[in-house]
Amino acid sequence: QKKNPPYGGFLAIPPEEVDRVFISPGPVYEPIHHQGIKWFARAFWAAGFRKGDVVVNTFTYHLSPAGILFHEAIRDCGATVVPTGTGNTEIQLQTMRDLKATGFVGTPSFLLSLIKRAEEMGYDFKKDFSLRRAWFTGEMLAPSMRQTLEQDYGIDTRQAYAVTECGGALAYECHKKNGMHLMDEYIIEIADPETGRQLGPGEAGEVVVTALHNRHWGLIRFGTGDLSSYIAEPCPCGRTSHRLTGIMGRAGDAVKVRGMFVVARQAEGVCLSFEPVSRFQLEVTRHEQRDVLILKIALKQDLTAQEKQTLADDLLQRFQTTCRIRPDKIDFVLHGAIPEDAPKIADLRKWE
């Protein structure tokens, strides 16, 4: 865009036909040609938003597209929208309580901060507020946070994956919450970020998007930089679209080992799911023209030899199932042997 302002040569319609221009950090100018985005409402409908719901939309309405696009999609479901935007915690809480808001749209961390602030003010959030469903994007919903929101506060949570440059939500959760359904309006691929080659089900790679509905903004095979994988089997909910397994991190967080991408966040989810593990680090070396993957595990307390062996067996099995590659070895080390700021993956290979 700097070389060919303002749209970098990608605008496929006359400039006077642009309806709105959004601005992402950079700045990057993103033209929008259509008024409402009816298909986007699919993500909110799947999350249970209906006529009669009062929904606080905490995404910003200026510069970036999230606030207004979500607003229109929520209205398409028949729900009432309260455009609260970001910040103003106490005003947000007063508004939610006065209007008996039943729905929340925003990031999970902001909702949790609102709940904590309400409790500091003396409220019993589950009893004093009417919030029953929440829709998240822009931030990963950690399993522990989902459990807290659903079990402690009775809030049904759903998440979606959206990319600003592509015009909105690409994938969304249904009530089964076992992957995010891909929208029909896109061709979405998982590709090797180094070669662009399309990958198969279960293989980790970069999310690559071609927007079929977006005829005015000529992005073909747009590399999002996000890492994920996909499930091809139909969902028990009845939808037959492929599903993203979730965002594992950014392309720079992954290292290719024996032809497979090992993603730091994915490995972290496996290792820290075992209670005795305090920290971990993956070391990649090379021996006789073969990649060697060593999983270093720091324990919270010492274990017996038998306990270590059982833990190692379980770790290897779960790691291979989740990350689709099996570490060659597990080394148990002292807690201090892996510094807190150590990289999750240390690539020690020398390509000479």
Side-chain angles (χ1 to χ4, degrees), residues 187-261:
I187 294 173
I188 299 177
E189 308 166 69
I190 301 297
D192 183 324
E194 294 178 357
T195 67
R197 181 178 65 86
Q198 192 177 103
L199 302 175
E203 295 185 82
E206 183 177 8
V207 180
V208 175
V209 183
T210 300
L212 299 177
H213 68 285
N214 197 341
R215 305 277 176 99
H216 66 282
W217 188 223
L219 297 182
I220 298 173
R221 298 200 84 213
F222 175 77
T224 64
D226 293 322
L227 291 170
S228 188
S229 63
Y230 73 91
I231 304 166
E233 293 79 15
C235 179
C237 78
R239 293 175 176 86
T240 57
S241 60
H242 290 174
R243 286 165 285 149
L244 289 183
T245 56
I247 302 305
M248 304 169 183
R250 298 290 289 173
D253 299 332
V255 174
K256 186 177 280 188
V257 181
R258 299 198 290 272
M260 299 294 295
F261 280 101

Side-chain angles (χ1 to χ4, degrees), residues 115-270:
I115 292 172
K116 296 305 179 186
R117 180 59 184 141
E119 291 175 339
E120 290 171 1
M121 295 168 66
Y123 291 111
D124 179 331
F125 192 86
K126 189 173 182 179
K127 178 182 177 182
D128 296 331
F129 288 77
S130 304
L131 197 64
R132 294 297 175 261
R133 59 182 56 88
W135 186 95
F136 302 127
T137 193
E139 182 181 285
M140 288 299 296
L141 175 60
S144 58
M145 189 178 292
R146 167 170 268 173
Q147 184 176 17
T148 296
L149 291 170
E150 295 195 346
Q151 294 187 6
D152 296 352
Y153 298 103
I155 301 170
D156 185 24
T157 63
R158 307 292 171 87
Q159 57 184 329
Y161 172 55
V163 175
T164 301
E165 293 85 353
C166 299
L170 307 182
Y172 62 93
E173 277 188 324
C174 66
H175 67 280
K176 294 294 183 180
K177 306 178 187 179
N178 58 353
M180 291 185 282
H181 293 274
L182 300 182
M183 289 282 193
D184 296 334
E185 287 76 12
Y186 301 93
I187 294 173
I188 299 177
E189 308 166 69
I190 301 297
D192 183 324
E194 294 178 357
T195 67
R197 181 178 65 86
Q198 192 177 103
L199 302 175
E203 295 185 82
E206 183 177 8
V207 180
V208 175
V209 183
T210 300
L212 299 177
H213 68 285
N214 197 341
R215 305 277 176 99
H216 66 282
W217 188 223
L219 297 182
I220 298 173
R221 298 200 84 213
F222 175 77
T224 64
D226 293 322
L227 291 170
S228 188
S229 63
Y230 73 91
I231 304 166
E233 293 79 15
C235 179
C237 78
R239 293 175 176 86
T240 57
S241 60
H242 290 174
R243 286 165 285 149
L244 289 183
T245 56
I247 302 305
M248 304 169 183
R250 298 290 289 173
D253 299 332
V255 174
K256 186 177 280 188
V257 181
R258 299 198 290 272
M260 299 294 295
F261 280 101
V262 179
V263 185
R265 183 178 293 177
Q266 196 175 27
E268 182 177 41
V270 172

Side-chain angles (χ1 to χ4, degrees), residues 63-103:
L63 298 181
S64 68
I68 189 65
L69 295 187
F70 297 163
H71 183 120
E72 291 174 346
I74 296 165
R75 285 296 300 138
D76 284 341
C77 293
T80 299
V81 188
V82 186
T84 58
T86 55
N88 302 312
T89 302
E90 293 189 10
I91 294 176
Q92 297 258 7
L93 288 170
Q94 181 181 340
T95 301
M96 290 168 66
R97 194 159 183 266
D98 289 347
L99 298 179
K100 294 181 170 55
T102 58

